[in-house]
Amino acid sequence: PRDGATRPHAVGAPALDRDVPAGGYAALTERSKEEFACGNLFEVVLSQQWSVPAEARPSAVFRTLRRRNPSPYGFLMNLRGEDAEDAPAWAKGYGKGEYLVGASPEMFVRVERVDGSMRVETCPISGTIQRGENALEDAVQVRTLLASKKDESELTMCTDVDRNDKSRICEPGSVAVIGRRQIEMYSKL
C-alpha cells in the first residue's frame, strides 16, 4: 500500500521445489563478482525458481494477474504439455501440468517483417518508480526518475547490451537506437 501500511503475506504451502539450494544464491553472487573482476561479465541477472502446486487453474491465475497488474505484455504457457505418442524425445517425461504465467510492462523482443526485411526490436525498461496518487505526484516522480544518474547509467548499460546482442545477428550497420529515456506510465509504475 502507498500509505506505508503493511499487510501480511497470505499463508501458503512452503515451496516444494527450487532450482537453487539453500546458500546457493549467495554462492552465485560471489561467483558473479569474480567474473566481473576478470571482465567476463558486465551484467548479470541472478534468479531463483520456486514452485508449489496450485489449486487454481492456470487461466484463472492469469486472469487474476491481469486484473491486479494490467501490463501490455502477458503470457500463459504450458511448459510441459502432454506426452503425445508423436512427441519428440526431448519433450517426453517432464511431467504434466506445469505452466508459466506472468505479466510485464517490458517487451522482451519482437521480430517482424517490414518492407520485405526482418526487423528485430527490443525496448529495455530501466529505472522504475512507483506512481503518485495524482497527476502532480506523478510529475514529481517523473522528475525524480529523470534526475537519477544511477537510472540513466543503468539504461545506458542496458542499451549497450541490447545493441551488442543485436549486432551479432543483424546486418552490419543496421542496428540503431530509435528512442531513449522515454517515460512510460502503467497502473503501478
Side-chain angles (χ1 to χ4, degrees):
R2 291 193 178 140
D3 62 4
T6 60
R7 61 179 174 220
H9 292 285
V11 177
L16 301 177
D17 188 25
R18 59 193 276 187
D19 66 342
V20 178
Y25 194 83
L28 288 170
T29 301
E30 291 305 314
R31 172 75 191 276
S32 297
K33 288 179 183 178
E34 294 167 8
E35 296 296 323
F36 277 116
C38 67
N40 290 338
L41 284 177
F42 52 91
E43 179 184 23
V44 67
V45 179
L46 299 176
S47 65
Q48 295 186 70
Q49 176 180 315
W50 303 75
S51 51
V52 294
E55 302 269 333
R57 296 177 55 86
S59 57
V61 173
F62 182 69
R63 278 192 301 276
T64 300
L65 178 61
R66 296 287 294 178
R67 187 177 66 253
R68 295 181 83 185
N69 183 29
S71 298
Y73 303 100
F75 50 90
L76 166 57
M77 294 185 269
N78 183 343
L79 299 177
R80 302 300 181 170
E82 299 293 323
D83 284 346
E85 291 296 322
D86 60 348
W90 60 267
K92 291 186 177 184
Y94 281 111
K96 297 169 180 60
E98 191 169 321
Y99 296 84
L100 180 62
V101 178
S104 174
E106 184 173 13
M107 176 183 64
F108 180 65
V109 66
R110 176 172 36 219
V111 179
E112 60 188 352
R113 185 171 300 280
V114 177
D115 298 328
S117 297
M118 298 304 288
R119 179 170 71 186
V120 178
E121 182 181 359
T122 55
C123 187
I125 291 178
S126 181
T128 56
I129 197 164
Q130 189 172 30
R131 294 286 305 264
E133 291 290 332
N134 55 50
L136 290 175
E137 288 182 13
D138 276 346
V140 170
Q141 294 293 71
V142 167
R143 188 173 60 226
T144 300
L145 189 60
L146 289 173
S148 170
K149 294 296 183 194
K150 175 207 168 280
D151 288 313
E152 182 178 8
S153 296
E154 185 178 325
L155 179 59
T156 298
M157 181 193 65
C158 289
T159 302
D160 288 345
V161 168
D162 256 8
R163 210 175 15 215
N164 182 53
D165 288 348
K166 285 183 196 157
S167 70
R168 295 171 187 253
I169 62 167
C170 295
E171 292 180 20
S174 69
V175 176
V177 175
I178 57 174
R180 190 168 183 285
R181 292 197 86 192
Q182 297 172 339
I183 299 297
E184 298 176 15
M185 297 182 128
Y186 300 97
S187 63
K188 298 185 182 349
L189 301 173

